[in-house]
Amino acid sequence: MRTVLVHLSLALCLASPAEAVSRRDSRTLAQAAYVLRHALPITSTRLKVLSADRALLSGGDDGAVIVTRINHCSYSIMSNRVGGYRINFSRLYGTFEREGTAQDGRIVLAGSSEAACALPLDGADRCATTVTLNRGALQHEAALLASVTYLLDQGCRASAEPAERP
């Protein structure tokens, strides 16, 4: 009986850190999906995290929208309707500017080269040093900036190794 308890305790101790990492990775992917959705004209709002590296957005007129983690701080979103977009959060400076009005505006994040890349359905990628997030209404601004901050802190600075690819 004592041996069974020792083995069970050891198994629980070994499983817990992996589950915690998986939950953190899933949360990081969900935050990235939220930011990326606002970087493209994506209407889908239902998010289903498939793994720590892949999520699906549905519920809009966009068809299949896939969010993918490329490495520890770079994520992409692809839509059959509008192409795709990639943001490398390690290339962002963390500062932002507001544009527009309280009812309809944008957040522009500054970065270094290739911080943001448009991924057209045909042709070459077009990369830039800024990320523009369409926040819609003013109340979305705080949530968007919180997601960006989380990704900078957890997605890039806390992890030095690229995500393992399936």
Side-chain angles (χ1 to χ4, degrees):
M1 180 67 171
R2 180 178 262 167
T3 304
V4 171
L5 288 175
V6 169
H7 287 279
L8 182 58
S9 298
L10 183 59
L12 289 174
C13 288
L14 293 175
S16 296
E19 289 173 8
V21 168
S22 179
R23 280 193 305 272
R24 186 191 72 215
D25 289 345
S26 295
R27 180 176 178 206
T28 303
L29 181 64
Q31 298 287 335
Y34 184 70
V35 172
L36 288 161
R37 186 177 77 82
H38 285 84
L40 279 183
I42 298 292
T43 59
S44 301
T45 57
R46 282 192 297 249
L47 177 69
K48 180 176 183 181
V49 176
L50 304 174
S51 72
D53 294 327
R54 203 166 181 80
L56 174 68
L57 276 164
S58 62
D61 300 326
D62 304 305
V65 180
I66 302 294
V67 179
T68 306
R69 175 164 45 186
I70 299 167
N71 61 36
H72 61 285
C73 57
S74 184
Y75 298 83
S76 70
I77 186 169
M78 290 296 295
S79 166
N80 293 331
R81 186 176 65 83
V82 294
Y85 203 69
R86 181 176 71 237
I87 298 177
N88 186 339
F89 290 91
S90 68
R91 293 184 177 268
L92 294 178
Y93 297 138
T95 60
F96 66 94
E97 294 180 10
R98 294 180 182 92
E99 293 181 353
T101 64
Q103 287 74 33
D104 186 23
R106 304 184 310 168
I107 298 170
V108 181
L109 302 165
S112 58
S113 64
E114 297 188 358
C117 295
L119 311 172
L121 294 172
D122 55 353
D125 296 355
R126 296 184 310 273
C127 296
T129 59
T130 57
V131 177
T132 302
L133 304 176
N134 298 310
R135 62 176 162 83
L138 187 60
Q139 62 266 26
H140 295 141
E141 182 177 302
L144 273 173
L145 292 177
S147 292
V148 170
T149 300
Y150 179 86
L151 287 159
L152 289 172
D153 290 342
Q154 299 297 322
C156 293
R157 298 177 189 143
S159 175
E161 295 297 320
E164 290 183 19
R165 302 305 298 160

